[in-house]
Amino acid sequence: NALPLCLLLALLLLAPALPAPHERGLIFNLDTGELCLQSAQCKSGCCHRSSGLSLARCAPKAAEFQECSPKSLYGVYYKCPCESGLTCDVDRTIVGSITNSDFGLCTDPQSTKEG
């Protein structure tokens, strides 16, 4: 009975010496295509589902002229928010905000200011 106790003690003492886990975790820093519950879990910052019944997966953010959703409190999107530097040009409504159905197009704010 002493051997398992010694083994357990040895494992506890060696645990801090084990290599650190990889950058990607089981819950955060997920790659495109992996299942998610919140956008904060995804490297891309977008946890996307295609319908109310589908499983959500990490997806790339929307590029210029692609459909988008403005940032939401829910953390799961039917259309991903825009890539960095782009804005989601959308007419927000109360109902759309509640149902997560306010969609627009990603635009470059710099190109609309020219003139």
Side-chain angles (χ1 to χ4, degrees), residues 8 12 14 16-17 27 39 44 47-48 51 60 66 70 100 108 110:
L8 179 63
L12 288 174
L14 290 175
I27 298 175
S39 290
S44 67
C47 185
H48 171 268
S51 72
Q66 286 186 328
N100 198 13
D108 183 352
Q110 298 302 320

Side-chain angles (χ1 to χ4, degrees), residues 28-106:
F28 290 100
N29 222 7
L30 301 175
D31 289 320
T32 297
E34 293 190 90
L35 293 173
C36 54
L37 296 172
Q38 285 284 328
S39 290
Q41 294 177 280
C42 304
K43 285 181 186 177
S44 67
C46 179
C47 185
H48 171 268
R49 73 174 60 212
S50 53
S51 72
L53 300 176
S54 65
L55 294 173
R57 296 184 180 273
C58 293
K61 286 195 172 179
E64 192 170 10
F65 306 118
Q66 286 186 328
E67 277 192 307
C68 58
S69 291
K71 298 273 184 191
S72 83
L73 299 174
Y74 302 111
V76 176
Y77 297 96
Y78 291 110
K79 304 287 181 192
C80 285
C82 300
E83 293 174 342
S84 181
L86 301 176
T87 57
C88 190
D89 190 17
V90 62
D91 290 327
R92 294 202 79 150
T93 64
I94 299 282
V95 173
S97 295
I98 293 170
T99 61
N100 198 13
S101 62
D102 276 336
F103 304 132
L105 286 180
C106 290

